[in-house]
Amino acid sequence: MYQYLEIERHGAVGVIAMNRPEARNALAMGITIELRRALREAAADTTMRALILTGRGGAFSAGADVKEWADKSKGDNPWPDMNWVEESLKLVQQVHDMPKPVVAMIDGAAVGAGLDMALACDFRYASERSKFICSYTNVGYNPDCGGTWLMPRVMGLEAAKRFAFTGDLWTADIALQNRLVSHVSPGDKLWDDTLAFAQKLASGPTVAIAQAKRLLNSAHTRSLSDQQLEEVAAGKVCAQTKDHEEGLAAANERRAPRFIGA
């Protein structure tokens, strides 16, 4: 059971929904710990082949819970033995490393660490009313939680610098123009569009997608020749799967493959 999350299943698609609407899903320690547990469970669930990460109540996430920080400074910290910064860094890493596709469904604000969590997803589907702020420089602080690593990879270096340096609010349209989001939908169509895309990912060859994700996420760390060796090693894993066998059979029989995720 979760206090701050709602967990749903739609066939092979899992949904993790942050549900602290009174705080715009700000990442207090409690919800951060719950998110990390839910992500571990999602990663281990072999029947879940794609994941949607979202927020309820008109926001994706407002980022760090500054009220909890203020309480801590008054000696009223409900998590005296835990370090929120360390947990939030691990949270973003978990999202990025999830061995299955993750789609952020953003309806409302994605700010600070909440924005970083969305950037760590593989895709970002947003409603027309969504807004995005790299809020760190607005308070005289540098982006963290992996934002400086993620932003240039998602948007490109110049757009990332503009976003980070200015602290400007970006609408959904501006975010789409700068490749911060993958798709923008009218508010009443966001869920249908996001679920349809997640279901398409979930119907694919799960092991092959996981290997492709791992290779693409780490490609910048290797030379071309080293990356080719990694591709060969990944191919040996994929070659042992039933989905690869099915894919070859479908190609020979000139029909659509029916992947089972194994």
Side-chain angles (χ1 to χ4, degrees):
M1 296 293 293
Y2 292 95
Q3 181 178 354
Y4 303 111
L5 305 179
E6 293 181 354
I7 309 297
E8 299 177 359
R9 281 296 293 267
H10 298 267
V13 176
V15 179
I16 299 175
M18 295 171 280
N19 191 30
R20 280 189 82 210
E22 74 285 355
R24 297 193 303 156
N25 299 318
L27 296 174
M29 183 62 85
I31 191 172
T32 301
I33 291 171
E34 286 195 352
L35 280 165
R36 293 200 60 215
R37 175 159 65 93
L39 288 165
R40 286 193 298 271
E41 292 173 355
D45 187 346
T46 58
T47 68
M48 185 187 298
R49 296 166 62 185
L51 178 65
I52 294 172
L53 180 61
T54 191
R56 303 284 193 229
F60 182 77
S61 173
D65 191 329
V66 294
K67 183 180 183 299
E68 185 175 71
W69 286 10
D71 290 342
K72 181 178 180 180
S73 69
K74 298 173 185 176
D76 188 27
N77 176 26
W79 306 95
D81 298 323
M82 305 192 76
N83 185 316
W84 177 85
V85 173
E86 181 179 349
E87 291 298 313
S88 64
L89 297 179
K90 291 178 180 177
L91 170 61
V92 173
Q93 187 77 53
Q94 272 183 270
V95 175
H96 181 266
D97 293 346
M98 173 65 63
K100 55 196 72 178
V102 185
V103 185
M105 187 175 77
I106 303 164
D107 187 23
V111 180
L115 171 70
D116 298 330
M117 185 165 54
L119 287 166
C121 297
D122 300 301
F123 306 94
R124 285 151 295 282
Y125 272 46
S127 71
E128 292 176 330
R129 70 174 187 150
S130 295
K131 50 191 176 182
F132 306 85
I133 311 174
C134 184
S135 55
Y136 298 95
T137 53
N138 290 338
V139 294
Y141 198 72
N142 61 277
D144 61 10
C145 287
T148 58
W149 191 92
L150 292 161
M151 283 190 292
R153 286 165 173 79
V154 171
M155 296 186 282
L157 182 58
E158 183 176 342
K161 287 179 177 178
R162 184 184 307 114
F163 192 43
F165 293 178
T166 64
D168 287 345
L169 182 151
W170 282 9
T171 63
D173 285 342
I174 296 173
L176 184 62
Q177 292 167 14
N178 286 278
R179 300 186 300 170
L180 173 55
V181 299
S182 315
H183 182 89
V184 175
S185 300
D188 60 348
K189 297 292 186 182
L190 177 62
W191 167 248
D192 290 342
D193 290 348
T194 307
L195 180 60
F197 181 60
Q199 288 174 331
K200 180 178 181 178
L201 296 170
S203 69
T206 305
V207 174
I209 290 174
Q211 291 297 322
K213 176 175 178 174
R214 181 182 64 80
L215 289 166
L216 289 166
N217 280 349
S218 60
H220 63 279
T221 67
R222 302 188 187 95
S223 67
L224 174 58
S225 59
D226 287 344
Q227 184 72 359
Q228 289 170 330
L229 292 174
E230 287 292 323
E231 290 170 347
V232 170
K236 291 179 180 178
V237 175
C238 294
Q240 304 302 312
T241 64
K242 294 179 180 177
D243 280 344
H244 179 57
E245 181 180 346
E246 164 63 10
L248 292 177
N252 287 327
E253 296 166 14
R254 298 187 178 181
R255 60 173 174 81
R258 296 180 292 272
F259 296 121
I260 62 172

